[in-house]
Amino acid sequence: MEAKMDDPIYKMVPTHILNIKPYVPGKPIEEVKRELGVKKVIKLASNENALGPSPRAIQAIKNYVSKIHLYPDGAAYYLREDIASYLGVDSDNIIVGNGSDEIVSIITRIFIQKGDQAIMGDPSFLMYRIDTQLSRGEIVTVPLKDFGLDVSRILNSLTDKTRLIFISNPNNPTGTILKSKEMQELIQNLPPGTIVISDEAYHEYVDDSEYPDTLTWVKEGKNIIVLRTFSKIYGLAGLRVGYAIAKKQIISILNKVRPPFNVNSLAQVAARAALKDRDHVIKSKNLIKREKEFLYSCLKELKVPFVPTQANFILIETGENTKEIILALLKKGIIVRGMEAYNLPNHIRLTVGTREENETFIRELQNILQR
Ligand SMILES: Cc1ncc(COP(=O)(O)O)c(C=O)c1O
């Protein structure tokens, strides 16, 4: 049934919520099969791991599955212990969330009240905007410079109402990074009532020696929250596990708002196994390194502009006919992400896939462009 905006129910909803444009995720494979009658579908739209989950994570789920009648460990004790020892911090420096999405939402609920400001790049990950809006905060967008976050403009945007600065590093959807020096400049000039969120969902893919080691600032007790996830290189997007690393005081505040059993038990055991499967992480990283070079060279040959990336996705300029290109690709069973919601209507974001997937994408793109 279609929603009618004249239904009295809408009068019960505050304007700031009615104004939210819901997050539109990449189309699920089954939906494309159903709607377009395509048999084989490849999804290159949500930056998932082309190699799938770690086999050790699958085994861990199988081993645990007979115990799912029990509530999970609400505090995710063992998972936090494992992450802490892997990163060389204390487990009190860590909170685990139902995806890092949940942690962004917890952070904004606590630190953004009506009229408080959150600074974010334009474009950057859309959930920062949605969660800020939900808290009645003011979204302060800072245009990117050469597709990257611009620290001097961010610093110039600071006011006494700035509570959060969202740094997606690498930045989704551009794949660019903020370098160590720039991040240091930001941290050094941070007013006391402001927190930097360093969202490092694609951290493990970065291959640039100037990428910042943000945990140093956590250890120094700075106002920084580092976000990481098991959804990307660890291949567990469907299970929803992410985590934050911050000083103990911040973590204890976040825990006040965290729902009691926010990360399910299968997700916890799978994440522990995936963290230990360094082989799978290295294989995944190497695949992306190799395949992004392959895609770069194909795109150059097709004379299609793109932004060089430090993540497992590439922002590609497909021009004025982007909508038609996305639809034509869909009809061929290839799901990519349109960038209209990110104010980049002439671009698509492509997740780097396996060689076979990338070849299929390039072949179909070439066919469409030659029409
Ligand atoms: C920059 C960024 N942050 C956070 C997330 C959310 O990840 P999770 O699956 O851990 O909620 C994503 C997912 O696309 C992302 O791109």
Side-chain angles (χ1 to χ4, degrees), residues 315-324 326 337-348:
L315 186 70
I316 301 174
E317 191 180 342
T318 33
E320 280 177 5
N321 298 327
T322 294
K323 263 192 181 157
E324 289 77 21
I326 292 171
R337 194 68 156 270
M339 290 284 101
E340 231 173 1
Y342 289 82
N343 289 330
L344 292 168
N346 296 342
H347 288 74
I348 59 167

PDB file of all heavy atoms in Angstrom, residues 315-324 326 337-348:
ATOM      1  N   LEU A 315      35.570   5.522  -7.556  1.00  0.00           N
ATOM      2  CA  LEU A 315      34.606   6.510  -8.035  1.00  0.00           C
ATOM      3  C   LEU A 315      34.917   6.784  -9.502  1.00  0.00           C
ATOM      4  O   LEU A 315      36.033   7.175  -9.846  1.00  0.00           O
ATOM      5  CB  LEU A 315      34.716   7.792  -7.200  1.00  0.00           C
ATOM      6  CG  LEU A 315      33.674   8.861  -7.509  1.00  0.00           C
ATOM      7  CD1 LEU A 315      32.283   8.427  -7.030  1.00  0.00           C
ATOM      8  CD2 LEU A 315      34.045  10.190  -6.851  1.00  0.00           C
ATOM      9  N   ILE A 316      33.908   6.541 -10.349  1.00  0.00           N
ATOM     10  CA  ILE A 316      34.117   6.615 -11.792  1.00  0.00           C
ATOM     11  C   ILE A 316      33.172   7.657 -12.390  1.00  0.00           C
ATOM     12  O   ILE A 316      31.973   7.665 -12.076  1.00  0.00           O
ATOM     13  CB  ILE A 316      33.840   5.234 -12.446  1.00  0.00           C
ATOM     14  CG1 ILE A 316      34.788   4.189 -11.837  1.00  0.00           C
ATOM     15  CG2 ILE A 316      34.005   5.289 -13.963  1.00  0.00           C
ATOM     16  CD1 ILE A 316      34.499   2.764 -12.297  1.00  0.00           C
ATOM     17  N   GLU A 317      33.730   8.516 -13.248  1.00  0.00           N
ATOM     18  CA  GLU A 317      32.895   9.552 -13.859  1.00  0.00           C
ATOM     19  C   GLU A 317      32.283   9.001 -15.142  1.00  0.00           C
ATOM     20  O   GLU A 317      32.969   8.868 -16.160  1.00  0.00           O
ATOM     21  CB  GLU A 317      33.731  10.805 -14.143  1.00  0.00           C
ATOM     22  CG  GLU A 317      32.862  11.978 -14.517  1.00  0.00           C
ATOM     23  CD  GLU A 317      33.660  13.230 -14.803  1.00  0.00           C
ATOM     24  OE1 GLU A 317      34.836  13.315 -14.395  1.00  0.00           O
ATOM     25  OE2 GLU A 317      33.099  14.120 -15.470  1.00  0.00           O
ATOM     26  N   THR A 318      30.998   8.706 -15.074  1.00  0.00           N
ATOM     27  CA  THR A 318      30.342   8.093 -16.227  1.00  0.00           C
ATOM     28  C   THR A 318      29.544   9.116 -17.043  1.00  0.00           C
ATOM     29  O   THR A 318      28.914   8.755 -18.039  1.00  0.00           O
ATOM     30  CB  THR A 318      29.432   6.936 -15.754  1.00  0.00           C
ATOM     31  OG1 THR A 318      28.913   7.267 -14.465  1.00  0.00           O
ATOM     32  CG2 THR A 318      30.198   5.650 -15.647  1.00  0.00           C
ATOM     33  N   GLY A 319      29.533  10.382 -16.578  1.00  0.00           N
ATOM     34  CA  GLY A 319      28.952  11.461 -17.378  1.00  0.00           C
ATOM     35  C   GLY A 319      27.451  11.629 -17.262  1.00  0.00           C
ATOM     36  O   GLY A 319      26.801  11.072 -16.365  1.00  0.00           O
ATOM     37  N   GLU A 320      26.927  12.403 -18.247  1.00  0.00           N
ATOM     38  CA  GLU A 320      25.518  12.815 -18.168  1.00  0.00           C
ATOM     39  C   GLU A 320      24.537  11.658 -18.278  1.00  0.00           C
ATOM     40  O   GLU A 320      23.410  11.744 -17.798  1.00  0.00           O
ATOM     41  CB  GLU A 320      25.218  13.801 -19.303  1.00  0.00           C
ATOM     42  CG  GLU A 320      25.691  15.198 -18.979  1.00  0.00           C
ATOM     43  CD  GLU A 320      25.464  16.143 -20.140  1.00  0.00           C
ATOM     44  OE1 GLU A 320      24.867  15.733 -21.152  1.00  0.00           O
ATOM     45  OE2 GLU A 320      25.922  17.293 -20.018  1.00  0.00           O
ATOM     46  N   ASN A 321      24.972  10.575 -18.913  1.00  0.00           N
ATOM     47  CA  ASN A 321      24.051   9.444 -19.103  1.00  0.00           C
ATOM     48  C   ASN A 321      24.174   8.398 -17.996  1.00  0.00           C
ATOM     49  O   ASN A 321      23.823   7.227 -18.194  1.00  0.00           O
ATOM     50  CB  ASN A 321      24.318   8.763 -20.451  1.00  0.00           C
ATOM     51  CG  ASN A 321      24.084   9.723 -21.590  1.00  0.00           C
ATOM     52  OD1 ASN A 321      23.208  10.587 -21.502  1.00  0.00           O
ATOM     53  ND2 ASN A 321      24.872   9.605 -22.649  1.00  0.00           N
ATOM     54  N   THR A 322      24.645   8.832 -16.841  1.00  0.00           N
ATOM     55  CA  THR A 322      24.910   7.868 -15.771  1.00  0.00           C
ATOM     56  C   THR A 322      23.694   7.005 -15.420  1.00  0.00           C
ATOM     57  O   THR A 322      23.815   5.792 -15.252  1.00  0.00           O
ATOM     58  CB  THR A 322      25.461   8.604 -14.534  1.00  0.00           C
ATOM     59  OG1 THR A 322      26.740   9.133 -14.896  1.00  0.00           O
ATOM     60  CG2 THR A 322      25.626   7.698 -13.343  1.00  0.00           C
ATOM     61  N   LYS A 323      22.528   7.629 -15.309  1.00  0.00           N
ATOM     62  CA  LYS A 323      21.313   6.867 -14.941  1.00  0.00           C
ATOM     63  C   LYS A 323      21.066   5.735 -15.932  1.00  0.00           C
ATOM     64  O   LYS A 323      20.766   4.607 -15.544  1.00  0.00           O
ATOM     65  CB  LYS A 323      20.101   7.798 -14.946  1.00  0.00           C
ATOM     66  CG  LYS A 323      19.762   8.313 -13.575  1.00  0.00           C
ATOM     67  CD  LYS A 323      18.400   8.976 -13.599  1.00  0.00           C
ATOM     68  CE  LYS A 323      18.103   9.512 -12.216  1.00  0.00           C
ATOM     69  NZ  LYS A 323      17.131  10.580 -12.224  1.00  0.00           N
ATOM     70  N   GLU A 324      21.193   6.064 -17.225  1.00  0.00           N
ATOM     71  CA  GLU A 324      20.958   5.056 -18.267  1.00  0.00           C
ATOM     72  C   GLU A 324      22.030   3.967 -18.182  1.00  0.00           C
ATOM     73  O   GLU A 324      21.741   2.778 -18.365  1.00  0.00           O
ATOM     74  CB  GLU A 324      20.993   5.684 -19.670  1.00  0.00           C
ATOM     75  CG  GLU A 324      19.811   6.583 -20.015  1.00  0.00           C
ATOM     76  CD  GLU A 324      19.879   7.962 -19.375  1.00  0.00           C
ATOM     77  OE1 GLU A 324      21.001   8.390 -18.994  1.00  0.00           O
ATOM     78  OE2 GLU A 324      18.827   8.609 -19.230  1.00  0.00           O
ATOM     79  N   ILE A 326      23.653   2.987 -15.529  1.00  0.00           N
ATOM     80  CA  ILE A 326      23.390   2.124 -14.362  1.00  0.00           C
ATOM     81  C   ILE A 326      22.287   1.113 -14.698  1.00  0.00           C
ATOM     82  O   ILE A 326      22.408  -0.079 -14.387  1.00  0.00           O
ATOM     83  CB  ILE A 326      22.994   2.982 -13.129  1.00  0.00           C
ATOM     84  CG1 ILE A 326      24.193   3.808 -12.660  1.00  0.00           C
ATOM     85  CG2 ILE A 326      22.469   2.104 -11.990  1.00  0.00           C
ATOM     86  CD1 ILE A 326      23.880   4.844 -11.601  1.00  0.00           C
ATOM     87  N   ARG A 337      26.793   1.324  -7.817  1.00  0.00           N
ATOM     88  CA  ARG A 337      26.085   2.318  -7.009  1.00  0.00           C
ATOM     89  C   ARG A 337      26.061   3.667  -7.700  1.00  0.00           C
ATOM     90  O   ARG A 337      27.127   4.218  -8.017  1.00  0.00           O
ATOM     91  CB  ARG A 337      26.808   2.432  -5.660  1.00  0.00           C
ATOM     92  CG  ARG A 337      26.042   3.154  -4.586  1.00  0.00           C
ATOM     93  CD  ARG A 337      24.827   2.374  -4.126  1.00  0.00           C
ATOM     94  NE  ARG A 337      24.460   2.786  -2.791  1.00  0.00           N
ATOM     95  CZ  ARG A 337      24.924   2.214  -1.693  1.00  0.00           C
ATOM     96  NH1 ARG A 337      25.721   1.180  -1.776  1.00  0.00           N
ATOM     97  NH2 ARG A 337      24.574   2.664  -0.510  1.00  0.00           N
ATOM     98  N   GLY A 338      24.850   4.186  -7.924  1.00  0.00           N
ATOM     99  CA  GLY A 338      24.707   5.553  -8.433  1.00  0.00           C
ATOM    100  C   GLY A 338      25.056   6.526  -7.320  1.00  0.00           C
ATOM    101  O   GLY A 338      24.865   6.215  -6.151  1.00  0.00           O
ATOM    102  N   MET A 339      25.548   7.687  -7.678  1.00  0.00           N
ATOM    103  CA  MET A 339      26.051   8.613  -6.672  1.00  0.00           C
ATOM    104  C   MET A 339      25.199   9.871  -6.527  1.00  0.00           C
ATOM    105  O   MET A 339      25.660  10.892  -6.032  1.00  0.00           O
ATOM    106  CB  MET A 339      27.500   9.010  -7.015  1.00  0.00           C
ATOM    107  CG  MET A 339      28.508   7.904  -6.833  1.00  0.00           C
ATOM    108  SD  MET A 339      28.901   7.624  -5.075  1.00  0.00           S
ATOM    109  CE  MET A 339      27.940   6.198  -4.675  1.00  0.00           C
ATOM    110  N   GLU A 340      23.939   9.786  -6.968  1.00  0.00           N
ATOM    111  CA  GLU A 340      23.069  10.960  -6.883  1.00  0.00           C
ATOM    112  C   GLU A 340      22.910  11.442  -5.440  1.00  0.00           C
ATOM    113  O   GLU A 340      22.994  12.634  -5.169  1.00  0.00           O
ATOM    114  CB  GLU A 340      21.698  10.610  -7.461  1.00  0.00           C
ATOM    115  CG  GLU A 340      21.293  11.630  -8.476  1.00  0.00           C
ATOM    116  CD  GLU A 340      20.026  11.251  -9.210  1.00  0.00           C
ATOM    117  OE1 GLU A 340      19.443  10.187  -8.924  1.00  0.00           O
ATOM    118  OE2 GLU A 340      19.654  12.053 -10.068  1.00  0.00           O
ATOM    119  N   ALA A 341      22.725  10.478  -4.528  1.00  0.00           N
ATOM    120  CA  ALA A 341      22.531  10.841  -3.123  1.00  0.00           C
ATOM    121  C   ALA A 341      23.773  11.521  -2.545  1.00  0.00           C
ATOM    122  O   ALA A 341      23.708  12.176  -1.507  1.00  0.00           O
ATOM    123  CB  ALA A 341      22.194   9.594  -2.320  1.00  0.00           C
ATOM    124  N   TYR A 342      24.904  11.339  -3.208  1.00  0.00           N
ATOM    125  CA  TYR A 342      26.161  11.955  -2.747  1.00  0.00           C
ATOM    126  C   TYR A 342      26.454  13.257  -3.513  1.00  0.00           C
ATOM    127  O   TYR A 342      27.590  13.731  -3.513  1.00  0.00           O
ATOM    128  CB  TYR A 342      27.324  10.986  -2.959  1.00  0.00           C
ATOM    129  CG  TYR A 342      27.344   9.784  -2.022  1.00  0.00           C
ATOM    130  CD1 TYR A 342      26.570   8.664  -2.268  1.00  0.00           C
ATOM    131  CD2 TYR A 342      28.165   9.778  -0.899  1.00  0.00           C
ATOM    132  CE1 TYR A 342      26.587   7.566  -1.428  1.00  0.00           C
ATOM    133  CE2 TYR A 342      28.201   8.687  -0.053  1.00  0.00           C
ATOM    134  CZ  TYR A 342      27.414   7.578  -0.315  1.00  0.00           C
ATOM    135  OH  TYR A 342      27.445   6.495   0.525  1.00  0.00           O
ATOM    136  N   ASN A 343      25.450  13.753  -4.226  1.00  0.00           N
ATOM    137  CA  ASN A 343      25.623  14.966  -5.052  1.00  0.00           C
ATOM    138  C   ASN A 343      26.634  14.784  -6.165  1.00  0.00           C
ATOM    139  O   ASN A 343      27.305  15.742  -6.579  1.00  0.00           O
ATOM    140  CB  ASN A 343      26.044  16.183  -4.210  1.00  0.00           C
ATOM    141  CG  ASN A 343      24.910  16.678  -3.350  1.00  0.00           C
ATOM    142  OD1 ASN A 343      23.749  16.534  -3.744  1.00  0.00           O
ATOM    143  ND2 ASN A 343      25.242  17.200  -2.183  1.00  0.00           N
ATOM    144  N   LEU A 344      26.789  13.565  -6.635  1.00  0.00           N
ATOM    145  CA  LEU A 344      27.687  13.303  -7.768  1.00  0.00           C
ATOM    146  C   LEU A 344      26.883  12.537  -8.835  1.00  0.00           C
ATOM    147  O   LEU A 344      27.138  11.355  -9.090  1.00  0.00           O
ATOM    148  CB  LEU A 344      28.904  12.478  -7.325  1.00  0.00           C
ATOM    149  CG  LEU A 344      29.920  13.128  -6.391  1.00  0.00           C
ATOM    150  CD1 LEU A 344      30.893  12.093  -5.832  1.00  0.00           C
ATOM    151  CD2 LEU A 344      30.696  14.239  -7.107  1.00  0.00           C
ATOM    152  N   PRO A 345      25.900  13.219  -9.454  1.00  0.00           N
ATOM    153  CA  PRO A 345      24.994  12.495 -10.358  1.00  0.00           C
ATOM    154  C   PRO A 345      25.673  11.935 -11.605  1.00  0.00           C
ATOM    155  O   PRO A 345      25.112  11.060 -12.262  1.00  0.00           O
ATOM    156  CB  PRO A 345      23.942  13.551 -10.732  1.00  0.00           C
ATOM    157  CG  PRO A 345      24.587  14.863 -10.452  1.00  0.00           C
ATOM    158  CD  PRO A 345      25.561  14.645  -9.344  1.00  0.00           C
ATOM    159  N   ASN A 346      26.876  12.429 -11.916  1.00  0.00           N
ATOM    160  CA  ASN A 346      27.569  11.936 -13.117  1.00  0.00           C
ATOM    161  C   ASN A 346      28.611  10.860 -12.810  1.00  0.00           C
ATOM    162  O   ASN A 346      29.497  10.590 -13.622  1.00  0.00           O
ATOM    163  CB  ASN A 346      28.236  13.093 -13.860  1.00  0.00           C
ATOM    164  CG  ASN A 346      27.210  14.078 -14.390  1.00  0.00           C
ATOM    165  OD1 ASN A 346      26.033  13.752 -14.494  1.00  0.00           O
ATOM    166  ND2 ASN A 346      27.655  15.278 -14.703  1.00  0.00           N
ATOM    167  N   HIS A 347      28.521  10.317 -11.604  1.00  0.00           N
ATOM    168  CA  HIS A 347      29.500   9.300 -11.190  1.00  0.00           C
ATOM    169  C   HIS A 347      28.801   8.018 -10.743  1.00  0.00           C
ATOM    170  O   HIS A 347      27.653   8.041 -10.310  1.00  0.00           O
ATOM    171  CB  HIS A 347      30.338   9.801 -10.015  1.00  0.00           C
ATOM    172  CG  HIS A 347      31.330  10.857 -10.359  1.00  0.00           C
ATOM    173  ND1 HIS A 347      30.970  12.159 -10.627  1.00  0.00           N
ATOM    174  CD2 HIS A 347      32.682  10.808 -10.477  1.00  0.00           C
ATOM    175  CE1 HIS A 347      32.058  12.870 -10.895  1.00  0.00           C
ATOM    176  NE2 HIS A 347      33.116  12.072 -10.809  1.00  0.00           N
ATOM    177  N   ILE A 348      29.541   6.936 -10.826  1.00  0.00           N
ATOM    178  CA  ILE A 348      29.127   5.709 -10.147  1.00  0.00           C
ATOM    179  C   ILE A 348      30.253   5.302  -9.195  1.00  0.00           C
ATOM    180  O   ILE A 348      31.402   5.736  -9.366  1.00  0.00           O
ATOM    181  CB  ILE A 348      28.847   4.530 -11.122  1.00  0.00           C
ATOM    182  CG1 ILE A 348      30.104   4.200 -11.958  1.00  0.00           C
ATOM    183  CG2 ILE A 348      27.665   4.824 -12.010  1.00  0.00           C
ATOM    184  CD1 ILE A 348      30.005   2.873 -12.693  1.00  0.00           C
TER     185      ILE A 348
END
